[in-house]
């Protein structure tokens, strides 16, 4: 005959355990599992209060993560409990179930909890450790306000429920780890796709540079020739604007090339303060027009071994960003630029009083093509190019929000001395005699401008439209200098050099290669291998004079 007095509790306990098991099996959301489990466990007699604590990451305390039926005061004293102390702390530390018939008289009750427990009439108490893979994760505790003690069946129920919750915790941890790994996999995949895009951009940029630099070279060269003539002041000023804007367009192309590929900087001893002043002079009119006040605080600092043009580009990007931020925010502002010495380098601080940088944008600030500016106002290349330049110089570039409002950008550069191979070049003398120069260039406009500029400087200059024609010219007469376009259809600059070398021509030691990408690795390798000189595209009058001086210096050795 069945004992009905035991059938009802057993049936209820099984139902509770089934509820906990279903919650564990149906959800990987631990919060949902915990809520359903605690709700079920407080139905043991209908008068229970339950709490769930998790072990803190440092293992020193137990943190309340869920409860049912706790009063505000009882919740407050249970919020953070010391591991190994009190009833709950001892259950966790010992790893075994702790049962107390009347918690009010227990000497292990925490002093802070005693008055609350007595006031609320809590008597029976049980705390069960929660494990997963032999690790203590926390505790499940139940108290009751009735004189009934916890039976063996109820203890077994709570221990089974704790095992189920431990399983849920472990499943949630595994799920979280798998999700993190998937996120990392997606991020890695995105980075690989991004890297492929950047490689494609690099290939495209090289072709674009060649196509754009040729017309820019023609425009700049013609302007340079005109500026050498006898013109009125107003015309010269207008031509100078054309020259400056052409050089600006050329720098944009160079920035794209710098972004697309890693090229070694061309360094010299550089005064950082001078580079900042040049940028402020360049931007001075725009800053004044937009009511941007500039404050400079320059301490004496040592020179750095750096590429001056690249440093100027970094400072220009930072100043322009600050300018645009302040102008957009409130149509005026104060730009502060500080320069100070570090133990082993220099630091530049660019501070604005604009709106600052939003928290979600800060981690992506230096990502290529990331911009917060409206369409047409930014490419997202400025800060990424600046970051690359500073990194290649062995420095650091980062951004922060200022405490009082606005953004702060920091550039740190190491102080270094040139190596024996990188020493500053000695001044090159100007040619003291007329030189015979062959220009090898397939673009008629570029060839015409360069040969015209050379003749204007008092030298004899002829043009060959391709490599085969140039080889015939070399075979027919002697030349003091051959200025050869690196990229030509039919026969490239390298193939032309190899042809000269195969014929043992003396001209093989009198080469200068023209390119719109002076840092192209293959070009640098050829220049080193051939012992050749270089001429950038587009070139200025000063570039051509420097080339001729270097060629004359070599011939005099």
């Amino acid at each position: 005959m069945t004992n009905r007095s035991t059938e009802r509790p057993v049936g209820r306990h099984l139902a509770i355990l089934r509820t906990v098991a279903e919650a564990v099996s149906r959800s990987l959301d631990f919060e949902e599992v915990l809520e359903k489990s605690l709700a079920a466990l407080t139905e043991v007699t209908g008068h229970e209060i339950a709490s769930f604590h998790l072990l803190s990451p440092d293992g020193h305390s137990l943190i309340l993560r869920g409860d049912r039926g706790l009063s505000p005061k009882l919740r407050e004293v249970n919020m953070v409990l010391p591991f190994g102390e009190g009833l709950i702390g001892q259950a966790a530390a010992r790893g075994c179930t702790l049962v107390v018939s009347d918690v009010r008289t227990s000497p292990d009750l925490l002093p802070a909890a005693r008055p609350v427990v007595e006031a609320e009439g809590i008597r029976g108490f049980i705390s069960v450790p929660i494990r997963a893979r032999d690790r203590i994760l926390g505790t499940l505790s139940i108290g009751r306000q009735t004189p009934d003690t916890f039976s063996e069946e109820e203890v077994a129920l709570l221990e089974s429920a704790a095992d189920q919750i431990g399983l849920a915790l472990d499943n949630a941890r595994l799920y979280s780890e798998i999700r993190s790994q998937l996120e990392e996999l997606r991020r890695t995949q995105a980075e690989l796709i991004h890297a492929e895009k950047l490689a494609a951009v690099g290939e495209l940029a090289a072709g674009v540079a060649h196509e754009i630099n040729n017309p820019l070279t023609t425009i700049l060269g013609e302007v340079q020739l005109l500026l050498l003539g006898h013109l009125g002041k107003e015309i010269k000023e207008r031509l100078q604007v054309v020259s400056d804007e052409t050089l600006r367009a050329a720098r944009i192309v160079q920035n794209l090339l710098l972004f697309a590929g890693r090229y070694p900087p061309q360094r010299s001893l550089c005064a950082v303060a001078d580079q900042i002043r040049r940028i402020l002079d360049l931007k001075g009119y725009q800053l004044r027009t937009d009511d941007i006040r500039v404050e400079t605080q320059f301490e004496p600092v040592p020179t750095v071994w750096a590429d001056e043009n690249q440093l100027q580009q970094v400072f220009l990007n930072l100043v322009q960003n600050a300018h645009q931020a302040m102008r957009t925010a409130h149509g005026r502002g104060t730009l502060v630029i500080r320069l100070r010495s570090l133990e082993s380098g220099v630091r530049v601080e660019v501070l604005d009083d604009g709106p600052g940088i939003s928290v979600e944008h800060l981690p992506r600030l230096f990502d290529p093509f990331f911009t917060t500016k409206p369409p047409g106002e930014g490419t997202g290349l400025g800060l990424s190019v600046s970051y690359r330049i500073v990194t290649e110089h062995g420095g650091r570039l980062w951004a922060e929000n200022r405490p009082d409002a606005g953004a702060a950008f920091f550039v740190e550069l190491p102080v270094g001395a040139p190596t024996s191979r990188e020493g500053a070049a000695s001044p090159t003398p100007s040619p003291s005699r007329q030189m015979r120069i062959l220009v090898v260039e397939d673009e008629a406009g570029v060839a015409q401008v360069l040969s015209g500029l050379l003749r204007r400087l008092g030298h004899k200059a002829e043009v060959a439209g391709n490599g085969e024609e140039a080889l015939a010219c070399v075979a027919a007469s002697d030349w003091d200098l051959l200025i050869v376009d690196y990229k030509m259809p039919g026969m490239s600059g390298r193939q032309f050099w190899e042809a000269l070398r195969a014929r043992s021509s003396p001209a093989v030691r009198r080469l200068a290669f023209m390119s719109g990408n002076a840092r192209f690795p293959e070009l640098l390798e050829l220049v080193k291998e051939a012992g050749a000189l270089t001429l950038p595209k587009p070139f200025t009058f000063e570039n051509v004079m420097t080339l001729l001086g270097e060629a004359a210096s070599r011939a005099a050795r």
Side-chain angles (χ1 to χ4, degrees), residues 175-193:
Y175 174 70
S176 177
E177 289 178 359
I178 292 172
R179 187 169 57 183
S180 298
Q181 290 171 0
L182 287 174
E183 288 297 324
E184 182 64 26
L185 184 61
R186 291 192 189 98
R187 186 161 52 249
T188 303
Q189 185 181 30
E191 289 174 356
L192 287 173
I193 294 172

Side-chain angles (χ1 to χ4, degrees), residues 248-443:
R248 178 169 170 263
R251 282 196 297 270
I252 292 173
V253 174
Q254 291 301 315
N255 284 341
L256 181 59
L257 288 170
L258 181 64
F259 160 71
R262 294 183 180 274
Y263 306 126
Q266 299 172 350
R267 303 181 186 183
S268 61
L269 288 174
C270 172
V272 176
D274 290 345
Q275 313 315 314
I276 298 173
R277 290 190 184 100
R278 287 172 188 167
I279 295 306
L280 292 178
D281 288 343
L282 179 67
K283 290 281 296 179
Y285 176 77
Q286 292 176 312
L287 293 170
R288 289 191 298 272
T289 301
D290 288 336
D291 198 20
I292 304 295
R293 187 166 60 91
V294 179
E295 294 181 9
T296 56
Q297 302 169 11
F298 292 173
E299 296 179 3
V301 299
T303 55
V304 298
W305 186 242
D307 185 309
E308 290 189 354
N309 289 331
Q310 288 188 358
L311 286 193
Q312 289 177 29
Q313 186 62 57
V314 171
F315 300 141
L316 178 61
N317 287 337
L318 298 183
V319 168
Q320 285 187 156
N321 270 6
H323 176 194
Q324 292 167 354
M326 292 184 288
R327 181 183 61 193
T328 303
H330 34 248
R332 59 187 303 277
T334 299
L335 174 66
V336 179
I337 301 182
R338 297 174 183 155
L339 176 62
R340 63 188 185 90
S341 181
L342 301 175
E343 184 176 348
S344 59
V346 299
R347 174 185 283 184
V348 178
E349 301 176 3
V350 180
L351 316 174
D352 66 64
D353 58 0
I357 307 165
S358 63
V359 176
E360 64 269 21
H361 292 157
L362 202 55
R364 301 183 57 198
L365 209 56
F366 300 103
D367 288 355
F369 302 112
F370 175 75
T371 179
T372 59
K373 299 170 186 174
E377 292 189 19
T379 63
L381 286 177
L383 288 179
S384 62
V385 167
S386 298
Y387 186 87
R388 173 167 292 177
I389 290 172
V390 174
T391 302
E392 287 179 349
H393 280 76
R396 296 173 58 218
L397 169 61
W398 75 97
E400 298 175 1
N401 279 311
R402 301 176 67 185
D404 51 346
F409 284 81
F410 302 90
V411 178
E412 287 186 356
L413 295 167
V415 173
T419 64
S420 58
R421 290 183 298 175
E422 294 179 312
S426 58
T428 54
S430 298
S432 57
R433 64 177 180 84
Q434 186 184 62
M435 300 176 68
R436 297 192 73 243
I437 303 169
L438 179 64
V439 176
V440 187
E441 170 61 66
D442 61 295
E443 287 279 343

